[in-house]
């Protein structure tokens, strides 16, 4: 039984993890990390789930890692526990993750959103890496993923000043996939996840793997990796079905295999 999250199925083949610590603006404590990563790993193994939504409340996606939980820790504590390493489990989820962000996405909240594959933001969303104002630095991937997402100039600005940017600036910077009106966020996030989940699941998983490889390899290695994955899709039923449906001018009926 989860305490910090709610898990539901808002549409066919779509699962949703909703952060639910309203008293702390969804601050990510250790329990939340365990519950989010465990739920996501379980959903990842479910063949009936083709996309996973990660969302928060209207006021906060997540206002960061839990400062009150971290405040008394020593170097020895956080080093021995390898604090935040548990979040790597979310990066191992192969099912596409769609973040629906309204309100504060600060520190670990911004970093959690960036661990997702598609980031849909409400016009109320506010992003930032304020760790520097606490005398620390990002620890859930902010210095790496933000830099890859928006480039050095902008990432340095946010990480060194700790300033918060609004949704429009985040979209201009390339942090956000789509910007929508706040009251449309849940519908748009679910619809996007549904669209992804309606595609061949093996193709979606391979596409995610290929895009992510762009951050890990040289161009020539990445191109070779992509080409081999493309070749691999020809071993699936869904490639035969998708191409047959195109030539027969009918919708494809994917088996996700
Ligand atoms: N950790 C723990 N509790 C938090 C929290 C956090 N990151 N963010 C908010 N809360 C708690 C507040 O302490 C408050 O609880 P109490 O009423 O018990 O004091 C409650 O949530 C509501 O927050 P506020 O009263 O502060 O709400 P506000 O609307 O006035 O301000 C805010 C909103 C600007 C987001 C403000 O809460 C804030 O600045 N939060 C901290 C943001 C932050 O520094 N995040 C980075 C954390 S470090 C990190 O994430 C490290 C990393 O790399 C992973």
């Amino acid at each position: 039984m989860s305490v910090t999250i709610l898990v539901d199925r808002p549409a066919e083949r779509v699962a949703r993890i909703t952060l639910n610590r309203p008293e702390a603006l969804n601050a990510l404590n250790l329990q939340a990390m365990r519950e989010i990563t465990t739920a996501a790993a379980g959903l990842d193994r479910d063949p009936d789930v083709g996309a996973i939504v990660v969302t928060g409340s209207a006021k906060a996606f997540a206002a960061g890692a839990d400062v009150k939980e971290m405040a008394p820790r020593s170097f020895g504590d956080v080093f021995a526990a390898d604090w935040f390493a548990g979040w790597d489990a979310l990066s191992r989820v192969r099912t596409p993750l769609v973040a629906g962000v309204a309100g504060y996405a600060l520190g670990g909240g911004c970093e959690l959103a960036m661990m997702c594959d598609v980031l849909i933001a409400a016009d109320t969303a506010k992003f930032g890496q304020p760790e520097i104002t606490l005398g620390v630095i990002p620890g859930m991937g902010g210095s790496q993923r933000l830099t890859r997402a928006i480039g050095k100039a902008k990432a340095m600005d946010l990480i060194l000043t700790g300033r918060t940017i609004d949704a429009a600036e985040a979209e201009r910077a390339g942090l956000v996939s789509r910007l929508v009106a706040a009251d449309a966020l849940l519908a748009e996030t679910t619809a996007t996840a549904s669209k992804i989940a309606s595609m061949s699941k093996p193709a979606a998983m391979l596409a995610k793997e290929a895009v992510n490889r762009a951050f890990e390899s040289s161009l020539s290695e990445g191109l070779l990796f992509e080409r081999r994955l493309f070749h691999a899709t020809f071993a699936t039923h869904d490639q035969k079905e998708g191409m047959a449906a195109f030539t027969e001018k009918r919708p494809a009926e994917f088996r996700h295999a």
Side-chain angles (χ1 to χ4, degrees):
M1 177 68 188
S2 297
V3 172
T4 65
I5 56 169
L6 303 169
V7 180
D8 68 346
R9 305 278 176 121
E12 203 184 333
R13 297 187 53 73
V14 175
R16 176 169 59 193
I17 298 173
T18 304
L19 278 56
N20 188 33
R21 291 190 73 209
E23 71 287 358
L25 299 182
N26 292 331
L28 301 164
N29 59 7
L30 285 179
Q31 187 170 12
M33 177 180 78
R34 273 187 224 109
E35 290 183 352
I36 293 165
T37 53
T38 303
L43 294 168
D44 193 31
R45 287 191 294 272
D46 185 338
D48 293 329
V49 172
I52 303 168
V53 169
V54 181
T55 195
S57 69
K59 180 156 188 203
F61 177 72
D66 192 312
V67 178
K68 292 170 189 166
E69 184 181 57
M70 292 185 292
R73 311 279 167 166
S74 67
F75 166 77
D77 294 335
V78 293
F79 179 69
D82 205 2
W83 204 265
F84 293 148
W87 286 106
D88 291 350
L90 202 59
S91 312
R92 289 194 290 275
V93 168
R94 297 162 74 205
T95 306
L97 298 169
V98 180
V101 178
Y104 296 111
L106 301 178
C110 185
E111 293 166 303
L112 174 59
M114 291 191 292
M115 287 177 213
C116 296
D117 304 305
V118 177
L119 200 171
I120 302 181
D123 50 17
T124 57
K126 296 175 196 68
F127 297 89
Q129 298 288 159
E131 290 88 348
I132 193 104
T133 68
L134 301 168
V136 294
I137 71 164
M140 280 168 55
S143 66
Q144 305 304 299
R145 291 199 178 91
L146 191 64
T147 307
R148 283 165 168 78
I150 67 176
K152 174 182 166 180
K154 209 77 180 164
M156 283 288 193
D157 176 5
L158 296 194
I159 290 169
L160 291 177
T161 68
R163 80 180 174 95
T164 297
I165 58 172
D166 63 18
E169 185 172 358
E171 195 201 22
R172 281 198 304 277
L175 181 59
V176 161
S177 312
R178 285 187 217 170
L179 187 52
V180 298
D183 59 6
L185 180 69
L186 282 189
E188 183 76 11
T189 306
T190 306
T192 304
S194 282
K195 179 85 178 167
I196 293 169
S198 74
M199 305 299 172
S200 162
K201 187 168 181 188
M205 290 166 75
L206 290 169
K208 169 172 172 164
E209 217 169 312
V211 173
N212 281 333
R213 188 52 75 102
F215 297 108
E216 308 281 354
S217 63
S218 66
L219 180 60
S220 60
E221 284 301 320
L223 290 171
L224 178 62
F225 184 77
E226 176 195 78
R227 207 157 58 240
R228 293 293 178 248
L229 293 188
F230 169 76
H231 297 159
T233 61
F234 285 71
T236 65
H237 162 274
D238 290 346
Q239 174 270 329
K240 302 284 172 282
E241 167 60 14
M243 292 192 175
F246 173 80
T247 44
E248 291 161 20
K249 301 189 189 298
R250 60 171 176 83
E253 286 181 28
F254 292 125
R255 266 195 228 153
H256 310 291

